[in-house]
């Protein structure tokens, strides 16, 4: 069911500092910041040859990464995103396996303009998992 690793997301308290780290210290190509109000984040993409790193900064008071940053004030790895061919088929399979799909359970359009779902960390080795339809 799983395809490529689409991205690893890192929550940061200060996006400008995160951009500086990846662009200047690590010499990576970093996109311009993009606000994604539906997900409560501002995001940049760090382009690597084989995948992407997303740096996420909270956007709005009820941003889903605000609590994470309270627990991890320096920032930290927030989720991994795997590609699937059919997000509805993936959801049905995981629900049948007893996994918890977060939110309404309906795919939302993610930062790449493609449908995504999030899966509860307790079912996936303690890691928040995002599925994106490739
Ligand atoms: Co993501």
């Amino acid at each position: 069911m799983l395809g490529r690793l689409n991205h690893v997301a890192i929550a940061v308290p200060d996006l400008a500092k995160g951009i500086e780290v990846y662009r200047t210290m690590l010499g990576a190509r970093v996109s311009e910041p993009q606000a994604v109000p539906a997900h409560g984040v501002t995001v940049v993409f760090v382009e690597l040859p084989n995948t992407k790193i997303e740096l996420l900064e909270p956007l709005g008071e009820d941003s889903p990464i605000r609590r994470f940053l309270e627990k991890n004030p320096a920032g930290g790895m927030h989720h991994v995103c795997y590609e699937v061919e059919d997000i509805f088929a993936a959801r049905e399979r995981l629900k049948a396996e007893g996994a918890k799909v977060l939110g309404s359970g309906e795919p939302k359009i993610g930062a790449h303009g493609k449908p995504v779902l999030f899966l509860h960390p307790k079912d996936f080795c303690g890691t928040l998992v995002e599925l994106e339809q490739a």
Side-chain angles (χ1 to χ4, degrees), residues 35-47:
V36 190
H39 291 270
V41 294
T42 303
V43 60
V44 296
F45 307 112
V46 179
E47 298 287 347

Side-chain angles (χ1 to χ4, degrees), residues 37-114:
H39 291 270
V41 294
T42 303
V43 60
V44 296
F45 307 112
V46 179
E47 298 287 347
L48 303 181
N50 62 339
T51 191
K52 293 184 282 288
I53 305 296
E54 289 185 7
L55 303 180
L56 307 175
E57 181 186 62
L59 175 66
E61 280 315 305
D62 53 355
S63 170
I65 64 171
R66 232 175 244 293
R67 263 187 46 213
F68 179 89
L69 283 169
E70 279 166 18
K71 285 185 238 161
N72 304 274
M77 206 206 82
H78 185 260
H79 65 266
V80 292
C81 177
Y82 301 120
E83 295 180 359
V84 294
E85 267 180 36
D86 180 335
I87 201 155
F88 293 102
R91 179 187 64 184
E92 293 318 306
R93 175 182 166 148
L94 290 165
K95 277 165 74 177
E97 296 282 347
K100 184 169 164 38
V101 178
L102 295 182
S104 69
E106 290 307 311
K108 278 191 188 178
I109 298 301
H112 310 109
K114 297 187 174 161

